Amino acid sequence: MGKVELNKKLKKESLLNTAFSLFTSKGFQNTSISDIVRDAGVAKGTFYLYFTDKYDIRNKLIAHKATILLYDAYDFVCSQKTEDFEEQIIQMTDYIVERLNNDKSLLNFISKHLSWGIFRNSLISFHDDQDHNAYELFVKLLHDSGYEFRDPEIMIYLIIELVSGAIYNPILYEQPVPLEQIKPYLYESIRSVIHRHIIFQADNKISARDAEPE
């Protein structure tokens, strides 16, 4: 990477990191573009080289944080040499849940601003500087699973909604129960979603009906 490209990368990262700090400390509505560029130490014109407005940097920041988190979870699963698709998803989920449990500001930011439309568009369109793409990661996981799935995007949507909806209150308020008590129920629900979307396994020809839990 040349000096010019490195400088651009550092400025963009500075804007993203500064925006995240301000959004999580002051709130999105109370943060202006002027606040972001002032704290990042760049000119306002530099901001518009990378982002169209405050909403654009927020959406790309969600994608940036989510992509890093997903790839970290995937790297963890790879380090465990887990081959079963269902166990991969559970292990990735557990890794992500624990990261959010240890980073309440990230949990708050994602929970307040994440919608399926933003998330899906970000998964498909956003590439970070390492060319990581969360949508491509999901495609790889599904391809390597050995299964065929009915409506895989709906399966992913349901899993994301289950996780984001189930962990927020247990982490922040221990309601209706602490996080560790909700986990077994959450993971059982994720397994059920996966089972119901399996059409067949390449080797054993497992039908969707046979794959459903008893």
Side-chain angles (χ1 to χ4, degrees):
M1 182 180 293
K3 185 176 180 179
V4 173
E5 289 77 14
L6 178 60
N7 189 44
K8 288 181 178 179
K9 176 185 175 183
L10 292 174
K11 285 182 178 179
K12 184 177 181 181
E13 287 181 350
S14 178
L15 286 166
L16 286 167
N17 292 334
T18 301
F20 178 73
S21 177
L22 289 170
F23 290 160
T24 53
S25 60
K26 295 179 59 176
F28 178 74
Q29 296 299 333
N30 295 324
T31 299
S32 67
I33 292 174
S34 296
D35 293 332
I36 295 170
V37 298
R38 182 195 64 232
D39 287 11
V42 301
K44 185 172 285 190
T46 301
F47 178 93
Y48 292 106
L49 290 175
Y50 306 105
F51 312 104
T52 57
D53 53 30
K54 189 172 70 168
Y55 294 91
D56 185 42
I57 192 173
R58 181 197 64 181
N59 295 348
K60 287 178 177 169
L61 185 54
I62 290 170
H64 182 68
K65 293 291 185 180
T67 299
I68 290 173
L69 193 54
L70 285 166
Y71 267 87
D72 285 350
Y74 178 69
D75 287 343
F76 170 75
V77 169
C78 290
S79 73
Q80 302 301 302
K81 303 188 184 302
T82 305
E83 296 183 358
D84 179 74
F85 174 76
E86 186 177 313
E87 292 305 318
Q88 287 178 336
I89 297 300
I90 297 299
Q91 286 186 2
M92 286 184 67
T93 301
D94 192 67
Y95 180 93
I96 290 168
V97 167
E98 284 303 317
R99 280 278 294 271
L100 293 174
N101 186 37
N102 292 320
D103 190 346
K104 306 296 193 297
S105 61
L106 181 58
L107 172 66
N108 265 316
F109 176 70
I110 290 177
S111 297
K112 286 181 180 178
H113 302 295
L114 183 60
S115 70
W116 176 246
I118 290 174
F119 189 73
R120 184 182 185 280
N121 291 336
S122 297
L123 289 182
I124 294 172
S125 64
F126 182 81
H127 288 257
D128 66 13
D129 293 311
Q130 286 73 45
D131 288 326
H132 284 171
N133 181 286
Y135 184 77
E136 291 174 0
L137 176 58
F138 281 124
V139 170
K140 175 176 171 54
L141 283 167
L142 295 173
H143 178 269
D144 293 346
S145 70
Y147 293 98
E148 291 290 336
F149 296 94
R150 177 191 299 112
D151 298 320
E153 185 174 303
I154 292 177
M155 179 179 71
I156 293 169
Y157 165 79
L158 289 172
I159 291 172
I160 290 171
E161 287 296 307
L162 272 171
V163 174
S164 62
I167 67 172
Y168 185 80
N169 284 311
I171 287 178
L172 292 181
Y173 310 112
E174 296 191 346
Q175 294 292 333
V177 293
L179 178 63
E180 289 305 314
Q181 285 183 242
I182 206 74
K183 276 186 178 183
Y185 298 97
L186 173 62
Y187 299 162
E188 182 180 345
S189 297
I190 292 173
R191 292 181 193 277
S192 178
V193 169
I194 294 171
H195 291 169
R196 291 179 182 278
H197 283 263
I198 293 173
I199 298 174
F200 66 85
Q201 187 174 12
D203 295 332
N204 299 325
K205 301 292 184 183
I206 298 177
S207 69
R209 178 180 296 177
D210 293 336
E212 289 183 2
E214 295 182 358

